Amino acid sequence: SQAEDLLPRLAVVSRPRTTTMIQFDEHGFRRRVEEAVVTLQKLLHSTRRPTFAEDVPNHSYQDKYLLAEFLTNCGLAAQCTCLEALGVGTQQLATLVEWSASETVTLRLAGRQRCTFLREEEREVESTSKVVKESTIFGKSEQKVVTRVNEWFWKIDVEWELVAYAGTMGGPRQLRLQGRSGSAQLKTTTSATPE
């Protein structure tokens, strides 16, 4: 066949690759699941006993589909809970569901930061220590060291927003789910723009 004819040529053309194959440790996996089950049994009501699907009596192939459906529904419920925690209301969720009937719905988190130079100030800082000199002719004199310090002041503006839109590239149908903005003044001792 053609595939058998290509094999010698592919062996010559392809370079040997070194790959690291991760061995699946079924015993370790089962041990970790069993430890998790013990922890879950402490947390769940005593009538619930989580086990491996294959260890359930009268387990059939159809049950795997029910398990997959159950886990998918759990994932969807978790996503809805996350959206609710982000402040998405019932009407906004209904809009997203409506969009999802015909297009992909994309969530985008966008953040912006601006740094604006405000001013430079120079001030004098006196040393906490002083030098006292006594002289028989001039009496007593005190000296302090004064250091000039330059300071630069910046305004940092930060804003972010979480937007859902129909499609994958953005477009006219957008829904702002959440967002915040704020600003602060920052003082540095160098003229370099803070990052």
Side-chain angles (χ1 to χ4, degrees):
S1 78
Q2 287 181 339
E4 291 172 348
D5 294 338
L6 287 175
L7 284 176
R9 282 187 256 162
L10 288 173
V12 173
V13 173
S14 65
R15 294 185 199 142
R17 289 191 280 178
T18 58
T19 58
T20 305
M21 188 167 170
I22 299 172
Q23 295 293 327
F24 177 70
D25 179 14
E26 182 177 355
H27 176 72
F29 173 75
R30 286 189 172 277
R31 184 178 43 77
R32 288 192 304 273
V33 169
E34 288 167 1
E35 289 171 0
V37 166
V38 169
T39 304
L40 277 173
Q41 286 175 343
K42 292 176 187 174
L43 298 174
L44 295 175
H45 192 268
S46 62
T47 59
R48 295 186 180 189
R49 299 281 179 220
T51 60
F52 286 102
E54 64 190 35
D55 296 336
V56 174
N58 302 324
H59 177 72
S60 69
Y61 196 75
Q62 181 183 2
D63 292 337
K64 290 180 177 91
Y65 289 110
L66 293 174
L67 180 62
E69 181 183 1
F70 173 74
L71 293 176
T72 302
N73 288 337
C74 286
L76 290 171
Q79 292 296 322
C80 288
T81 301
C82 289
L83 290 172
E84 184 181 323
L86 289 170
V88 176
T90 307
Q91 189 170 2
Q92 290 173 317
L93 189 59
T95 301
L96 297 178
V97 169
E98 179 186 324
W99 290 353
S100 71
S102 61
E103 292 184 76
T104 300
V105 177
T106 305
L107 291 178
R108 181 186 70 211
L109 176 64
R112 289 178 275 303
Q113 179 178 326
R114 277 188 313 276
C115 181
T116 309
F117 175 73
L118 296 175
R119 67 187 180 279
E120 178 184 357
E121 288 183 3
E122 184 178 294
R123 62 186 177 94
E124 293 183 349
V125 178
E126 287 187 4
S127 173
T128 56
S129 61
K130 53 186 171 182
V131 178
V132 179
K133 290 185 181 179
E134 290 189 35
S135 171
T136 54
I137 301 172
F138 299 109
K140 190 179 190 185
S141 68
E142 292 181 5
Q143 292 180 344
K144 286 188 178 181
V145 177
V146 176
T147 306
R148 286 195 177 138
V149 177
N150 288 337
E151 297 173 328
W152 288 263
F153 292 84
W154 311 86
K155 181 180 179 191
I156 307 290
D157 295 303
V158 178
E159 63 181 280
W160 65 269
E161 66 178 354
L162 181 63
V163 177
Y165 55 89
T168 57
M169 301 299 291
R173 295 193 305 173
Q174 293 191 1
L175 180 62
R176 185 174 189 263
L177 302 175
Q178 193 67 261
R180 297 276 189 278
S181 64
S183 65
Q185 198 175 94
L186 186 65
K187 176 174 63 172
T188 62
T189 55
T190 65
S191 61
T193 305
E195 293 182 19

